[in-house]
Amino acid sequence: MNDIKTAIENVTKELFGQEGSVELTRPDAQFGDFSSNVALQLAKKLGKNPREVAEAVVEKLQDIETINKVEIAGPGFINIYLTDQSLTSLVSLDYAKNRTDQTVVIETNNPNPFKAMHIGHAFNAILGDTIANLLDADGAHVYRVSYHGDVGLHVGKSMYSLLKYIDGDVDKLTNIAENERNSFMSKMYAEGSKVYKEDENAKAEIDDLAQQSFEPKTALYKQVYDICKNWSFEQIDQIVARLGNKPIDEQGRFLESDADHRGVKIVRDNVPEVFEESDGALIFPGSKYGAFDNAFVASNGRGLYAARDLGLMQLKNEYYHPQKSYIITAEEQRALLIGVIAAAELSMPDLKDVTVNITHGTVKLSTGKMSSRDGDVVEIDWLLDRIADAVKEHSGENNPAIEAGALRYQFLKVKIGTDVVFDINEAVSVVGNSGPYLQYAHARGCSILAKTTNEVGSYASNLNESEHLLVRKMTEYSEVIEHATRELAPHYICTYLYELSQEFNRFYEKNQVIGSDTETSRLKLVSDYTNILKQGLNILGIEAPEHV
RNA sequence: GCGCCCGUAGCUCAGUGGAUUAGAGCACUGGUCUUCGGAACCAGGUGUCGCAAGUUCGAAUCUUGCCGGGCGUACCA
């Protein structure tokens, strides 16, 4: 592709004295393998008719031996058809890596303990993990971390119900079976939330219990708190693994309780240069920086979320010294993060341009209330169990790789940033544009390769139509990966791999591989296809089993 | 009020730095099938690309204004 590009650049320079980069695009298959609009761009500059310019360029290009045919279409597009031989030579798993000199830190999950993980957490975790994969694919040295709110109001709400439940006897807690804990915790939190809104006395008590998450007043509080916090992290690790996420770094679990005092100190040390006192609170005038004025330390002296985030940035820097630090959050936190990042750059100048906030939409439910006892949240375990049911209907057995793949692909195929309308029927679907479709297509390919004793050969010099279309699609791989890593946009890979697999399935319908005259050539085709698909899926964090 | 994001087929969504005839999946109807895995393939059609103006050889894409929706707007996170 670069040869063609360079060739056109040379031609335009020679003919018109015009220097500059030429764009090559991938047109519809009927318009060739590559297309250039260079004639249209140059025509205006030169004061000539675009078709005339195109004709002059085309005349030169026809001499290039890798080009089979060049045509001028429409107002002056130059459509280039390569020979099959030169097209197949472009098939490759390689792509350019642009972050090889970078160390990066990225949060790949951050559900809070003392609550159950729901679908929004899964969305966030899958996006974070996949963006981490993209950074890794692009050559960066990646540290995956997590961040959890183990202090504050939500802890108070859960502790209220928990302390009522055990009624002074911790054994009541330890008697709860392991597989009951998640929904138990969920219920405790829901009850606490409910009374907090409805009962003034309970509210006061919960506020006090929330404060105790920083400094427990009783041994019993501490005991219950520690047990439940451990349970939560066991659950989180288990569920995150079930989603197909790679584990976080050994030192990568950060807690708000650790970040809090650091953050408060940073704020206090930077009054009045960065932060100012207002009504007893310490605020940052974020409205000057595209955000909003925000309290970092409350009037009672407690650190607030924004201050803890400063502490977290400092912690990450001390552990990893990253050039870039990625935080994946819902869109509703965008303005907040703009303020926090601005405050961080002023109070910790070393961290300038380090932290990047990537925002995603919220997960909305299409069918309203679907699951759980305490409201309209969909718990991850419940959802994955439903997906497992659907997968089992097809294959007769459970397959964790397919279950995770179905969910990941469902979330990843959409452009990051807009809201996701979550439909349970679509999520458990294994047909059409879905993870299982891709995994199935991969297994089909592997199955062919496993069935023959012949060696994979090299490409035949002439391809039939469906072979040509599949090869043509495969040559786009490197461009797609580079695009996706550059923009940290996994959905480009999803779209591509789906189109690639469609081409494979079409090829599969029309061509017998084993026993055909061109078997070794077709084996090469299938082999390249499965390798590309597998590598692409792996970047998405989706496994590609040989049998599904 | 101000700021940010969004509006493409019945539904869910793609559509690269402007480009040839705006595409997929789902759903619906029909077909393929003694061949390497039917989680498949093929065929059938619908779009004032929210509205309007502007820039351009050319706009779903860029600019402006409006309409509609979401989010944010300091002591929750």
Side-chain angles (χ1 to χ4, degrees), chain A residues 103-110 124-138 140-148 237 240 243-254 312 316 319-320 322 324-326 328 408 538-542:
Chain A
T103 296
V104 304
V105 169
I106 176 166
E107 289 177 14
T108 60
N109 70 82
N110 48 27
N124 179 270
I126 287 169
L127 287 179
D129 181 67
T130 305
I131 291 170
N133 288 347
L134 287 172
L135 291 164
D136 185 56
D138 203 24
H141 188 60
V142 179
Y143 291 103
R144 290 156 199 266
V145 303
S146 66
Y147 182 50
H148 310 271
D237 289 343
V240 164
L243 295 174
N245 274 30
K246 294 185 178 63
I248 57 170
D249 181 65
E250 280 177 21
Q251 303 182 84
R253 172 160 286 152
F254 294 108
L312 176 63
K316 286 173 177 169
Y319 277 73
Y320 302 112
K324 289 286 174 195
S325 174
Y326 294 91
I328 321 300
R408 289 183 85 89
N538 287 345
I539 291 173
L540 298 173
I542 297 173

Side-chain angles (χ1 to χ4, degrees), chain A residues 219-231:
Chain A
L220 185 64
Y221 185 106
K222 178 105 174 66
Q223 217 176 346
V224 172
Y225 177 90
D226 285 341
I227 289 171
C228 292
K229 187 161 143 181
N230 284 336
W231 283 3

Side-chain angles (χ1 to χ4, degrees), chain A residues 18-30:
Chain A
Q18 297 288 330
E19 304 238 17
S21 182
V22 168
E23 295 273 328
L24 278 188
T25 56
R26 301 286 193 155
D28 270 5
Q30 55 179 315

Side-chain angles (χ1 to χ4, degrees), chain A residues 305-362:
Chain A
Y305 171 84
R308 286 174 211 150
D309 243 20
L310 294 181
L312 176 63
M313 289 178 191
Q314 191 181 64
L315 277 166
K316 286 173 177 169
N317 187 51
E318 285 177 14
Y319 277 73
Y320 302 112
H321 306 293
Q323 278 81 52
K324 289 286 174 195
S325 174
Y326 294 91
I327 302 177
I328 321 300
T329 69
E331 201 240 341
E332 64 212 41
Q333 294 190 29
R334 174 181 292 218
L336 176 86
L337 265 296
I338 289 171
V340 171
I341 290 169
E345 297 194 340
L346 291 171
S347 51
M348 298 179 283
D350 288 353
L351 302 189
K352 186 159 172 42
D353 295 330
V354 169
T355 304
V356 178
N357 177 217
I358 295 172
T359 61
H360 56 74
T362 46

